[in-house]
Amino acid sequence: GKSTSILYGMINIIRPLIVQYNPEKVIICWDGRRHPERIKMLPEYKGHRETTRDQKKHKKFLKQVAKTRKLLYLLGIPQAWHEGVEGDDMIYMVTQKMSKLYRVTIVSADKDFKQLINWDVDVLHPRTKVVETAWAFDCGNWGIELPQYKDFLCLTGDKSDDIPGYPGIAEGRASSFLKKFYSIQQYLDSDEEHVGLMDKDKLRKIYRRNNRMINLKLFHKKYNSDKKITYYKGKSNPSYQEEAYKEYCLSFSMKTLAFPKFIAPFKSLVNG
Protein backbone atom coordinates (compact mmCIF):
# COMPACT_ATOMS: atom_id res chain seq x y z
CA GLY A 1 0.00 0.00 0.00
CA LYS A 2 3.03 2.34 -0.11
CA SER A 3 3.83 4.39 -3.20
CA THR A 4 7.26 3.55 -4.59
CA SER A 5 7.18 4.77 -8.20
CA ILE A 6 9.65 7.63 -7.61
CA LEU A 7 12.01 5.50 -5.50
CA TYR A 8 12.01 2.71 -8.05
CA GLY A 9 12.16 5.03 -11.05
CA MET A 10 14.94 7.28 -9.73
CA ILE A 11 17.27 4.45 -8.79
CA ASN A 12 16.68 2.77 -12.16
CA ILE A 13 17.61 5.97 -13.99
CA ILE A 14 20.85 6.40 -12.05
CA ARG A 15 22.08 2.80 -12.09
CA PRO A 16 22.37 2.33 -15.90
CA LEU A 17 24.27 5.61 -16.15
CA ILE A 18 26.78 4.44 -13.55
CA VAL A 19 27.16 1.10 -15.35
CA GLN A 20 27.65 2.71 -18.78
CA TYR A 21 29.85 5.69 -17.90
CA ASN A 22 31.67 4.47 -14.77
CA PRO A 23 31.97 7.92 -13.10
CA GLU A 24 34.36 8.64 -10.27
CA LYS A 25 31.66 10.54 -8.39
CA VAL A 26 27.90 11.10 -8.63
CA ILE A 27 26.03 14.03 -7.09
CA ILE A 28 22.25 14.38 -7.20
CA CYS A 29 20.88 17.95 -7.16
CA TRP A 30 17.37 18.59 -5.85
CA ASP A 31 15.14 21.57 -6.55
CA GLY A 32 14.37 24.28 -3.98
CA ARG A 33 11.74 27.04 -4.02
CA ARG A 34 11.28 29.54 -6.84
CA HIS A 35 13.74 32.34 -6.23
CA PRO A 36 11.99 35.56 -5.12
CA GLU A 37 14.17 37.68 -7.42
CA ARG A 38 12.98 35.75 -10.48
CA ILE A 39 9.36 36.14 -9.34
CA LYS A 40 9.99 39.85 -8.81
CA MET A 41 11.30 40.21 -12.37
CA LEU A 42 8.51 38.07 -13.81
CA PRO A 43 5.54 37.30 -11.49
CA GLU A 44 4.26 34.54 -13.79
CA TYR A 45 7.61 32.69 -13.64
CA LYS A 46 6.85 28.94 -13.39
CA GLY A 47 3.29 30.02 -12.66
CA HIS A 48 1.59 27.18 -14.52
CA ARG A 49 3.23 24.69 -12.17
CA GLU A 50 1.53 26.35 -9.21
CA THR A 51 -1.90 26.86 -10.77
CA THR A 52 -2.21 23.33 -12.19
CA ARG A 53 -0.79 21.55 -9.15
CA ASP A 54 -2.98 19.04 -7.33
CA GLN A 55 -2.03 19.67 -3.69
CA LYS A 56 -2.90 16.15 -2.49
CA LYS A 57 -0.81 14.55 -5.23
CA HIS A 58 2.00 17.02 -4.55
CA LYS A 59 2.09 16.07 -0.86
CA LYS A 60 2.36 12.41 -1.83
CA PHE A 61 5.10 13.33 -4.30
CA LEU A 62 7.08 15.14 -1.59
CA LYS A 63 6.77 12.15 0.74
CA GLN A 64 8.24 9.90 -1.95
CA VAL A 65 11.02 12.39 -2.59
CA ALA A 66 11.92 12.27 1.11
CA LYS A 67 12.05 8.47 0.96
CA THR A 68 14.14 8.58 -2.22
CA ARG A 69 16.65 10.91 -0.56
CA LYS A 70 17.05 8.43 2.28
CA LEU A 71 17.48 5.56 -0.19
CA LEU A 72 20.24 7.38 -2.07
CA TYR A 73 21.86 8.44 1.20
CA LEU A 74 22.14 4.80 2.30
CA LEU A 75 23.85 4.04 -1.03
CA GLY A 76 26.49 6.66 -0.23
CA ILE A 77 25.42 9.12 -2.95
CA PRO A 78 25.77 12.83 -1.99
CA GLN A 79 22.72 14.99 -2.67
CA ALA A 80 22.98 18.77 -2.97
CA TRP A 81 19.93 20.71 -1.82
CA HIS A 82 19.07 24.12 -0.39
CA GLU A 83 15.48 25.20 0.19
CA GLY A 84 16.19 28.69 -1.15
CA VAL A 85 18.13 27.57 -4.26
CA GLU A 86 16.42 26.36 -7.43
CA GLY A 87 17.65 23.12 -8.97
CA ASP A 88 19.21 24.85 -11.99
CA ASP A 89 21.17 27.18 -9.74
CA MET A 90 22.32 24.35 -7.48
CA ILE A 91 23.58 22.41 -10.51
CA TYR A 92 25.47 25.53 -11.59
CA MET A 93 27.07 25.82 -8.14
CA VAL A 94 28.03 22.15 -7.97
CA THR A 95 29.36 22.22 -11.54
CA GLN A 96 31.55 25.25 -10.85
CA LYS A 97 33.06 23.58 -7.81
CA MET A 98 33.49 20.08 -9.20
CA SER A 99 34.87 21.13 -12.59
CA LYS A 100 37.98 22.32 -10.74
CA LEU A 101 38.64 18.70 -9.72
CA TYR A 102 36.85 16.53 -12.29
CA ARG A 103 35.56 16.50 -15.80
CA VAL A 104 31.84 17.09 -15.18
CA THR A 105 28.91 15.62 -17.09
CA ILE A 106 25.51 17.16 -16.31
CA VAL A 107 22.75 14.60 -16.86
CA SER A 108 19.57 16.47 -17.79
CA ALA A 109 17.05 16.95 -20.58
CA ASP A 110 16.78 20.65 -19.65
CA LYS A 111 18.12 22.74 -22.52
CA ASP A 112 19.22 25.54 -20.14
CA PHE A 113 22.30 23.55 -19.09
CA LYS A 114 23.82 23.81 -22.56
CA GLN A 115 25.00 27.28 -21.52
CA LEU A 116 27.35 25.63 -19.00
CA ILE A 117 29.18 23.55 -21.59
CA ASN A 118 32.91 24.25 -21.79
CA TRP A 119 36.14 22.25 -22.10
CA ASP A 120 35.54 20.76 -18.64
CA VAL A 121 31.74 20.38 -18.69
CA ASP A 122 29.52 18.21 -20.93
CA VAL A 123 25.76 17.66 -20.97
CA LEU A 124 24.21 14.21 -21.38
CA HIS A 125 20.56 13.85 -22.38
CA PRO A 126 19.27 10.92 -20.26
CA ARG A 127 16.83 9.60 -22.88
CA THR A 128 18.69 10.08 -26.16
CA LYS A 129 22.11 9.42 -24.56
CA VAL A 130 23.52 12.22 -26.73
CA VAL A 131 26.52 13.91 -25.09
CA GLU A 132 27.09 17.54 -26.02
CA THR A 133 30.58 18.95 -25.60
CA ALA A 134 32.42 22.16 -26.40
CA TRP A 135 33.54 20.60 -29.70
CA ALA A 136 30.24 18.83 -30.41
CA PHE A 137 27.59 21.37 -29.49
CA ASP A 138 24.11 20.74 -30.88
CA CYS A 139 21.45 23.41 -31.24
CA GLY A 140 19.25 21.44 -33.59
CA ASN A 141 19.29 22.79 -37.14
CA TRP A 142 19.62 26.41 -36.07
CA GLY A 143 23.39 26.77 -36.50
CA ILE A 144 23.95 28.58 -33.21
CA GLU A 145 27.46 28.65 -31.75
CA LEU A 146 27.99 27.88 -28.10
CA PRO A 147 28.74 31.51 -27.03
CA GLN A 148 25.46 32.59 -28.67
CA TYR A 149 23.27 30.11 -26.84
CA LYS A 150 22.23 32.36 -23.95
CA ASP A 151 21.16 35.08 -26.41
CA PHE A 152 19.23 32.44 -28.36
CA LEU A 153 17.31 31.55 -25.17
CA CYS A 154 16.73 35.23 -24.37
CA LEU A 155 15.13 35.75 -27.78
CA THR A 156 13.03 32.58 -27.86
CA GLY A 157 12.16 32.36 -24.16
CA ASP A 158 11.52 29.23 -22.12
CA LYS A 159 7.95 27.91 -22.19
CA SER A 160 8.62 25.31 -19.49
CA ASP A 161 9.45 28.13 -17.04
CA ASP A 162 6.84 30.58 -18.43
CA ILE A 163 9.57 32.98 -19.58
CA PRO A 164 8.41 34.74 -22.77
CA GLY A 165 10.87 35.66 -25.48
CA TYR A 166 10.61 38.59 -27.87
CA PRO A 167 7.11 38.51 -29.47
CA GLY A 168 7.11 36.87 -32.88
CA ILE A 169 10.68 35.54 -32.62
CA ALA A 170 10.89 31.75 -32.74
CA GLU A 171 13.96 29.57 -33.26
CA GLY A 172 14.31 30.20 -37.00
CA ARG A 173 14.17 33.98 -36.79
CA ALA A 174 16.40 34.02 -33.73
CA SER A 175 18.95 31.94 -35.63
CA SER A 176 18.91 34.28 -38.65
CA PHE A 177 19.30 37.29 -36.39
CA LEU A 178 22.28 35.86 -34.49
CA LYS A 179 24.00 34.74 -37.68
CA LYS A 180 23.82 38.32 -38.90
CA PHE A 181 24.66 40.24 -35.70
CA TYR A 182 26.26 37.45 -33.59
CA SER A 183 24.85 38.86 -30.32
CA ILE A 184 21.93 40.92 -29.07
CA GLN A 185 24.27 43.50 -27.56
CA GLN A 186 26.14 44.01 -30.83
CA TYR A 187 22.82 44.70 -32.54
CA LEU A 188 21.72 47.10 -29.81
CA ASP A 189 25.03 48.98 -30.12
CA SER A 190 24.73 49.25 -33.91
CA ASP A 191 22.76 51.68 -36.07
CA GLU A 192 21.21 48.85 -38.06
CA GLU A 193 17.63 47.64 -37.84
CA HIS A 194 16.39 44.08 -38.23
CA VAL A 195 12.88 43.12 -39.32
CA GLY A 196 10.87 41.94 -36.34
CA LEU A 197 13.31 43.47 -33.85
CA MET A 198 13.16 47.13 -34.84
CA ASP A 199 11.92 48.28 -31.43
CA LYS A 200 15.32 48.34 -29.74
CA ASP A 201 13.99 49.76 -26.48
CA LYS A 202 11.60 46.83 -26.17
CA LEU A 203 14.36 44.36 -27.09
CA ARG A 204 16.72 45.94 -24.58
CA LYS A 205 14.11 45.57 -21.82
CA ILE A 206 13.32 41.93 -22.65
CA TYR A 207 17.01 41.06 -23.04
CA ARG A 208 17.88 42.61 -19.68
CA ARG A 209 15.12 40.66 -17.91
CA ASN A 210 15.62 37.31 -19.67
CA ASN A 211 19.39 37.42 -19.40
CA ARG A 212 19.14 37.93 -15.66
CA MET A 213 16.65 35.08 -15.32
CA ILE A 214 18.18 32.54 -17.73
CA ASN A 215 21.92 33.24 -17.50
CA LEU A 216 22.90 30.96 -14.59
CA LYS A 217 26.33 32.51 -14.10
CA LEU A 218 24.94 36.05 -14.02
CA PHE A 219 22.05 35.11 -11.71
CA HIS A 220 24.41 33.41 -9.27
CA LYS A 221 26.72 36.41 -9.19
CA LYS A 222 23.87 38.87 -8.57
CA TYR A 223 21.54 36.93 -6.30
CA ASN A 224 23.08 33.68 -5.02
CA SER A 225 26.71 34.52 -4.34
CA ASP A 226 26.04 34.27 -0.59
CA LYS A 227 24.52 30.79 -0.91
CA LYS A 228 26.56 27.69 -0.15
CA ILE A 229 26.24 24.16 -1.48
CA THR A 230 24.47 22.20 1.23
CA TYR A 231 23.96 18.45 1.32
CA TYR A 232 21.30 16.06 2.55
CA LYS A 233 21.94 15.39 6.24
CA GLY A 234 24.97 17.67 5.89
CA LYS A 235 27.00 14.91 4.24
CA SER A 236 29.01 15.75 1.11
CA ASN A 237 30.32 12.16 1.20
CA PRO A 238 27.81 9.94 3.04
CA SER A 239 28.89 6.47 4.07
CA TYR A 240 27.72 3.43 2.11
CA GLN A 241 25.36 1.38 4.33
CA GLU A 242 24.55 -1.81 2.45
CA GLU A 243 22.60 -3.64 5.13
CA ALA A 244 20.55 -0.57 6.04
CA TYR A 245 19.86 -0.02 2.34
CA LYS A 246 18.66 -3.61 1.86
CA GLU A 247 16.45 -3.39 4.91
CA TYR A 248 14.98 -0.12 3.66
CA CYS A 249 14.23 -1.63 0.21
CA LEU A 250 12.56 -4.67 1.76
CA SER A 251 10.35 -2.41 3.91
CA PHE A 252 8.77 -1.34 0.60
CA SER A 253 8.82 -4.89 -0.83
CA MET A 254 11.36 -3.75 -3.44
CA LYS A 255 13.30 -7.02 -3.42
CA THR A 256 14.85 -6.47 -6.86
CA LEU A 257 16.66 -3.35 -5.65
CA ALA A 258 18.23 -5.33 -2.80
CA PHE A 259 19.84 -8.02 -4.99
CA PRO A 260 23.68 -8.03 -4.81
CA LYS A 261 23.90 -7.78 -8.61
CA PHE A 262 21.72 -4.67 -8.58
CA ILE A 263 23.71 -3.03 -5.78
CA ALA A 264 27.15 -3.83 -7.27
CA PRO A 265 27.55 -0.66 -9.43
CA PHE A 266 26.82 1.58 -6.43
CA LYS A 267 29.22 -0.37 -4.27
CA SER A 268 31.99 -0.13 -6.85
CA LEU A 269 31.32 3.61 -7.19
CA VAL A 270 31.91 4.12 -3.47
CA ASN A 271 34.90 1.77 -3.35
CA GLY A 272 36.42 3.48 -6.38
Side-chain angles (χ1 to χ4, degrees), residues 177-211:
F177 170 81
L178 290 172
K179 285 177 182 177
K180 182 177 180 180
F181 296 100
Y182 195 79
S183 72
I184 295 173
Q185 193 58 56
Q186 285 191 158
Y187 172 64
L188 291 173
D189 292 340
S190 74
D191 295 327
E192 295 187 63
E193 292 183 340
H194 188 75
V195 177
L197 290 161
M198 295 176 71
D199 189 340
K200 288 192 174 184
D201 288 337
K202 184 176 182 178
L203 175 60
R204 187 175 288 107
K205 183 178 179 181
I206 291 173
Y207 174 54
R208 177 179 173 82
R209 180 199 68 197
N210 284 4
N211 193 39

Side-chain angles (χ1 to χ4, degrees), residues 148-159:
Q148 297 175 297
Y149 190 68
K150 289 190 287 291
D151 279 12
F152 184 76
L153 293 178
C154 288
L155 287 171
T156 59
D158 188 340
K159 290 182 180 179

Side-chain angles (χ1 to χ4, degrees), residues 1-9 56-57 59-61 63-65 67-68 248 251-252 254:
K2 299 177 182 178
S3 298
T4 59
S5 58
I6 296 176
L7 283 85
Y8 191 83
K56 287 185 178 180
K57 288 183 179 179
K59 285 182 180 179
K60 290 181 180 179
F61 166 78
K63 285 182 180 180
Q64 278 206 66
V65 167
K67 294 171 184 175
T68 303
Y248 195 62
S251 71
F252 294 101
M254 297 190 299

Side-chain angles (χ1 to χ4, degrees), residues 256-269:
T256 305
L257 304 192
F259 289 162
K261 186 176 181 180
F262 187 90
I263 301 172
F266 299 100
K267 191 173 183 178
S268 63
L269 176 67

